[in-house]
Amino acid sequence: LTSQLRAASPQLRPAGVTGLSMCAPQLDKRAERRRIVANPNFNRRGFAETKEEVEGMMVDEFKSDLLGEIRANGNTYTRENVEIKLAESYGFCWGVERAVAIAYEARSFYPEDEIHITNEIIHNPGVNTRIGEMGINFVP
């Protein structure tokens, strides 16, 4: 029986595999992204129907009275002996703002559907947490 198993086992393993493993094969991230992007349901343009609603969400989340005050004072804020200077180009670039807006629009447009994003949109834990709380999943 052992010799029969030895003779059969090479046929059960892919080429180059010399031992048995109970682990799932590692995901090829590039191939998975290509598969997702090729799907006709993949949307990179956003949703006109939810744009206005999402613009309100973006303003509420990413603007504040304090930022408005700092900008009104020449990008400087002083309190007691602490001075804060805000960069002229403070904020998200257009591409990041648009990517976040598309994620929010997708959730608004598809409130009950499962939504996946192929990467974190921004290196901002608050934004990524909010997207996760909306039920949008990141593909690792």
Side-chain angles (χ1 to χ4, degrees), residues 75-127:
N75 287 0
T76 302
Y77 180 80
T78 305
R79 184 175 220 173
E80 297 176 15
N81 63 347
V82 176
E83 183 177 63
I84 298 171
K85 292 190 176 192
L86 184 65
E88 293 263 343
S89 58
Y90 168 82
F92 303 129
C93 70
W94 179 88
V96 168
E97 278 191 27
R98 187 70 194 121
V100 172
I102 288 173
Y104 288 9
E105 289 171 13
R107 174 46 67 216
S108 184
F109 195 80
Y110 298 108
E112 302 299 322
D113 290 353
E114 197 168 317
I115 299 174
H116 301 278
I117 296 176
T118 55
N119 273 325
E120 290 184 339
I121 293 174
I122 183 173
H123 300 294
N124 181 313
V127 173

Side-chain angles (χ1 to χ4, degrees), residues 62-77:
F62 303 118
K63 309 282 188 221
S64 73
D65 293 338
L66 178 59
L67 284 174
E69 185 179 333
I70 293 171
R71 287 196 169 136
N73 290 320
N75 287 0
T76 302
Y77 180 80

Side-chain angles (χ1 to χ4, degrees), residues 118-140:
T118 55
N119 273 325
E120 290 184 339
I121 293 174
I122 183 173
H123 300 294
N124 181 313
V127 173
N128 291 322
T129 298
R130 172 73 176 124
I131 289 170
E133 289 170 350
M134 295 171 78
I136 297 173
N137 305 302
F138 294 108
V139 176

